[in-house]
Amino acid sequence: MNPETFSVQTPASQAQAAIEIDALKAQLRRWAHAYYVLDAPSVPDGEYDRAYQRLERLEAQYPELATPDSPTQRVLGSVLPGLAPVRHALPMLSIRTETDTEASGARSFDARIRRELGLQESDAPVEYCAEPKFDGLAMNLRYEERQLVQAATRGDGEVGEDVTHNVRTIRQIPLRLPADAPALLEVRGEVYMRWADFERLNARQQDAGDKSFVNPRNAAAGSVRQLDARIAAQRPLSFFAYGTGESTPPEAGGPQWTTQYALLQQLKAWGFPVAPQVRVARGADELVAFHATMGTARAALAYGIDGVVYKLNSLQLQHRLGFVTREPRWAVAHKYPPQEMVTTVQGIDVQVGRTGKLTPVARLAPVFVGGATVTNATLHNLFELRRKRVRVGDQVIVRRAGDVIPEVVGVVSGTRAHYTPNFHMPRSCPVCGSAVVREPGQTDHRCSGGLFCPAQRKQALLHFASRKAMDIEGLGEKLVDQLVDGGIIQGLAELYALGAEQLAQLERMGEKSAQNLRAALDRSRHPSLARFLYALGIRNVGEATAKDLARHFGQLARVMQADTDRLMQVPEVGPIVAESIHTFFAQPHNREVVQALLAAGVQPQEAEPTPAASLALAGKTVVLTGQLPTLTREQAGALLEAAGARVAGSVSKKTSYVVAGEDAGSKLVKAQALGLTVLDEAGLHALLEGRL
């Protein structure tokens, strides 16, 4: 049934309702499969919601037609008194772990398999199914008459816990199987949580004042074992299938697959998510390549893996080799170096970043984690440090994934031997001695000595030279690295002392490039006051605010001498921005840098102050969109700002006018929806000339 044909009227009979309910359920299942399993939404969310709500209304009107496999029945309202034990029809055995994390681990497994199969060196390579090893919670899903009737954890392998009420909330797991599936089927896989979902869950936990989860596996396990399915439904769980348990035997119409890979592809066809990285690997070399490929991709995956799994692809050979001490002979888990380990905090230092942000860093007793020895780990900011309750001497869990900076996940409870005082952020920058500030409502502490602080030198130079600031063409990141790392310049003013011959000696700087850069430096000596103020990199001062300051004060000295009260007289400058400007110029280091620039011949263009109220478009906000016939967007913006208007990048209810040219897009659509005044270029000129 096409979604457009769904009835919005009450069916004339229960029989008609039953037909529509079946069609709705089938359509919703297809849409959900595309969204949750294939990650390829096929309809807008509103279309899905409309069909879902229609199904809810029909089932409420005809409750006898509501079935357990309906999409509306994923969350059941009752709270269980406890989790009932479940004895597995076939044991959920663990897999032997290969402790050698190098390539030799794959080769030793292949050698053992060939030996146990009695193969000679001249025989063909053995075929394996290579799969990721997920860092989640093993789960057994039992389907009878193609409907999900039970979900159970692995437990001790023989007996697990019934968590059907929670697993039903995982939208990747089908509640009903297609008609070609066997009457009895147990599907085994891993319940896990994606990294992004884990971060969002922890953010919600923090906002609610609840305890954060240590890692995604901990969060997934805690969610699955909730007694109230409504809590689990709020936790973003996912699922990957990797095998089967009990099923209808082949002679009774059960599955006829012959390989592990074919089994997984059939599960995928029946609606179960299967890891896209699953591969058939022939021989030891291809196992080694798979292990290396997954190791490289590991840090970029949306979910955690702690290794890969190799299985004999032939199910007949699996049966032939059998099991030993509750482990299959035909499979092995080839692990990667652990990404989380426990170590001790020996001290807490502070690092100053390129933008002036102060980050507390834990000095650790050396620990091998994620394939490298870690001695330092970030604590992000003071508030995160407090939330995790980290103090010197604590035993902590450290995480390192790929090339990601190691971080302290949390404290191992009960390991603090004696009282240790809390860490406090320094009041002055540990690099340059400037005052450390934190804006109201913000979590980050920052050094206020932006132009002077060596830690921020490269960032200050790049911003100073950027197109919307001093526009020094040719002064890019690689050149700035050479100038700073080579000790050639210590501050902004020294740029103007660089000679063409000196520049030509730098890497990738020929004579012509050096001359061009020298010319660009000379051209930048007479910027507008607005450009100069923006180029200084004052926190919270963007292009628009710099223009407002230049228009209001007219001269650099007046801006530098203004207190917060005078600064707040500038349109659109509030207390936070005013405090940032005042703090910046109150720092002796920053004033010295400005004076050095003036002494080097940089002379901002000054003018008499222009009272905002005297300008024709004072207090008006204008948005430009599309291509105008004769004016560039920059030219149109300059004309508007000269008339006192603020040029904004987005449309809102506060927008006064929208100037739209050819190929105007979503901004024009939004303006029309809000009923705003839309002008073409002729209308813009009329506005500037006071004819509107």
Side-chain angles (χ1 to χ4, degrees):
M1 180 180 290
N2 187 285
E4 282 72 28
T5 67
F6 287 150
S7 170
V8 295
Q9 305 297 322
T10 302
S13 67
Q14 180 172 324
Q16 290 178 325
I19 294 172
E20 187 176 356
I21 284 174
D22 285 344
L24 282 164
K25 289 193 295 187
Q27 184 65 286
L28 286 168
R29 289 190 195 105
R30 286 193 292 273
W31 289 344
H33 180 73
Y35 186 93
Y36 293 105
V37 179
L38 303 181
D39 198 22
S42 56
V43 293
D45 290 349
E47 196 66 55
Y48 181 95
D49 293 342
R50 188 170 73 88
Y52 187 92
Q53 291 160 7
R54 175 62 177 163
L55 179 58
E56 282 186 314
R57 289 195 297 270
L58 287 173
E59 290 179 341
Q61 184 177 358
Y62 300 100
E64 63 275 16
L65 298 180
T67 57
D69 66 327
S70 172
T72 65
Q73 302 299 304
R74 283 197 174 270
V75 183
L76 304 178
S78 60
V79 179
L80 303 182
L83 300 178
V86 173
R87 180 166 292 278
H88 299 299
L90 294 178
M92 293 185 70
L93 304 180
S94 58
I95 296 179
R96 180 185 305 179
T97 298
E98 174 56 64
T99 56
D100 184 350
T101 60
E102 302 302 322
S104 53
R107 297 191 185 281
S108 62
F109 171 68
D110 176 66
R112 177 172 63 81
I113 290 296
R114 294 182 65 85
R115 185 170 59 252
E116 293 187 2
L117 290 175
L119 299 177
Q120 303 299 315
E121 189 173 337
S122 58
D123 290 329
V126 177
E127 188 174 87
Y128 301 98
C129 186
E131 310 166 18
K133 185 180 183 300
F134 308 104
D135 193 12
L137 187 70
M139 190 64 57
N140 185 77
L141 309 175
R142 186 175 179 88
Y143 292 82
E144 296 178 2
E145 300 303 326
R146 301 172 188 84
Q147 294 198 33
L148 178 66
V149 296
Q150 187 181 76
T153 62
R154 171 184 284 163
D156 63 3
E158 298 283 347
V159 178
E161 294 176 314
D162 189 333
V163 290
T164 311
H165 62 302
N166 290 329
V167 168
R168 290 176 62 88
T169 70
I170 303 174
R171 293 185 178 273
Q172 287 183 315
I173 293 177
L175 301 180
R176 180 188 180 96
L177 300 184
D180 62 335
L184 171 62
L185 178 68
E186 287 185 346
V187 176
R188 291 176 174 177
E190 202 89 356
V191 173
Y192 68 97
M193 191 173 289
R194 293 170 178 259
W195 287 112
D197 291 333
F198 171 70
E199 297 296 340
R200 283 192 288 269
L201 173 61
N202 262 352
R204 292 203 305 270
Q205 293 287 106
Q206 292 172 31
D207 291 342
D210 296 329
K211 183 179 179 181
S212 299
F213 292 99
V214 172
N215 53 44
R217 188 190 187 284
N218 172 265
S223 301
V224 166
R225 300 189 73 255
Q226 290 290 325
L227 298 178
D228 188 347
R230 291 168 296 190
I231 297 176
Q234 298 171 3
R235 308 274 179 86
L237 298 173
S238 298
F239 179 79
F240 273 131
Y242 56 62
T244 59
E246 186 180 26
S247 65
T248 303
E251 58 271 19
Q256 302 285 337
W257 49 60
T258 59
T259 67
Q260 172 72 14
Y261 186 81
L263 180 157
L264 292 177
Q265 299 314 302
Q266 183 62 72
L267 291 181
K268 185 177 179 180
W270 284 336
F272 294 94
V274 172
Q277 300 86 4
V278 170
R279 296 287 184 272
V280 172
R282 294 173 176 84
D285 288 346
E286 293 191 13
L287 291 182
V288 169
F290 181 78
H291 184 264
T293 299
M294 289 302 301
T296 301
R298 183 186 183 193
L301 292 178
Y303 40 83
I305 66 169
D306 54 7
V308 295
V309 175
Y310 311 134
K311 300 175 183 176
L312 267 175
N313 198 30
S314 168
L315 299 184
Q316 181 182 12
L317 291 180
Q318 287 185 14
H319 181 74
R320 173 180 160 186
L321 290 189
F323 302 85
V324 58
T325 60
R326 299 171 58 82
E327 293 177 344
R329 293 179 182 271
W330 42 265
V332 71
H334 191 184
K335 302 288 280 291
Y336 293 113
Q339 291 184 302
E340 290 186 352
M341 291 293 286
V342 174
T343 187
T344 303
V345 178
Q346 297 179 330
I348 299 177
D349 298 331
V350 172
Q351 289 183 350
V352 184
R354 289 166 57 113
T355 62
K357 177 185 173 182
L358 272 64
T359 301
V361 176
R363 282 191 291 105
L364 307 170
V367 60
F368 191 76
V369 54
T373 299
V374 172
T375 57
N376 297 290
T378 181
L379 290 161
H380 298 289
N381 56 60
L382 181 64
F383 294 88
E384 185 73 359
L385 185 154
R386 289 277 193 273
R387 183 183 66 80
K388 293 176 178 176
R389 301 178 180 179
V390 178
R391 300 188 185 187
V392 175
D394 286 347
Q395 286 194 327
V396 294
I397 300 169
V398 179
R399 175 186 296 150
R400 181 180 183 272
D403 294 328
V404 177
I405 298 172
E407 68 169 337
V408 172
V409 178
V411 174
V412 179
S413 60
T415 60
R416 186 173 296 158
H418 51 78
Y419 171 78
T420 305
N422 261 327
F423 167 83
H424 294 278
M425 292 294 278
R427 294 186 177 182
S428 58
C429 174
V431 176
C432 72
S434 298
V436 170
V437 297
R438 181 177 68 84
E439 295 167 1
Q442 299 296 310
T443 58
D444 293 333
H445 289 72
R446 294 183 180 274
C447 165
S448 60
L451 298 180
F452 172 78
C453 184
Q456 303 175 64
R457 189 167 291 152
K458 289 182 181 180
Q459 185 67 27
L461 284 164
L462 288 169
H463 177 77
F464 185 80
S466 63
R467 184 175 64 85
K468 294 181 179 180
M470 301 294 277
D471 194 19
I472 306 173
E473 188 175 355
L475 187 60
E477 187 171 354
K478 292 182 179 179
L479 182 55
V480 165
D481 285 343
Q482 291 188 68
L483 293 172
V484 174
D485 294 342
I488 299 172
I489 62 174
Q490 302 294 320
L492 300 179
E494 295 175 30
L495 284 171
Y496 293 93
L498 293 171
E501 292 183 5
Q502 184 181 16
L503 289 168
Q505 296 174 7
L506 298 175
E507 185 180 350
R508 299 180 184 177
M509 281 293 289
E511 183 177 337
K512 183 64 175 177
S513 297
Q515 291 174 351
N516 289 340
L517 178 55
R518 183 61 259 174
L521 284 164
D522 289 336
R523 286 194 302 271
S524 73
R525 290 181 186 274
H526 301 285
S528 66
L529 177 57
R531 277 183 174 269
F532 184 78
L533 290 171
Y534 176 65
L536 294 179
I538 306 168
R539 184 154 175 79
N540 296 314
V541 175
E543 292 177 82
T545 301
K547 290 173 181 176
D548 290 339
L549 290 168
R551 186 183 300 120
H552 183 86
F553 289 101
Q555 297 179 5
L556 175 62
R558 292 173 181 166
V559 181
M560 295 177 67
Q561 294 165 5
D563 58 20
T564 55
D565 289 339
R566 291 182 61 194
L567 288 165
M568 287 176 62
Q569 294 174 10
V570 179
E572 306 297 330
V573 171
I576 292 178
V577 177
E579 185 61 34
S580 292
I581 299 167
H582 181 261
T583 300
F584 180 89
F585 287 118
Q587 294 292 317
H589 304 314
N590 291 336
R591 298 177 72 91
E592 289 171 7
V593 171
V594 172
Q595 293 301 325
L597 284 168
L598 299 178
V602 178
Q603 296 295 326
Q605 301 169 27
E606 299 182 333
E608 287 302 311
T610 305
S614 67
L615 298 173
L617 297 182
K620 303 295 184 182
T621 300
V622 183
V623 173
L624 298 167
T625 181
Q627 184 175 352
L628 299 176
T630 65
L631 294 173
T632 66
R633 195 171 298 186
E634 288 76 13
Q635 290 170 333
L639 291 172
L640 286 163
E641 288 169 346
R646 287 184 66 84
V647 179
S650 59
V651 176
S652 71
K653 292 180 180 179
K654 296 181 179 180
T655 303
S656 307
Y657 302 97
V658 173
V659 178
E662 188 178 350
D663 296 327
S666 59
K667 294 177 183 178
L668 175 58
V669 174
K670 186 172 182 180
Q672 292 169 335
L674 293 173
L676 302 177
T677 302
V678 178
L679 307 174
D680 57 11
E681 185 173 315
L684 170 62
H685 287 296
L687 180 66
L688 293 168
E689 294 165 7
R691 294 187 282 112
L692 283 184

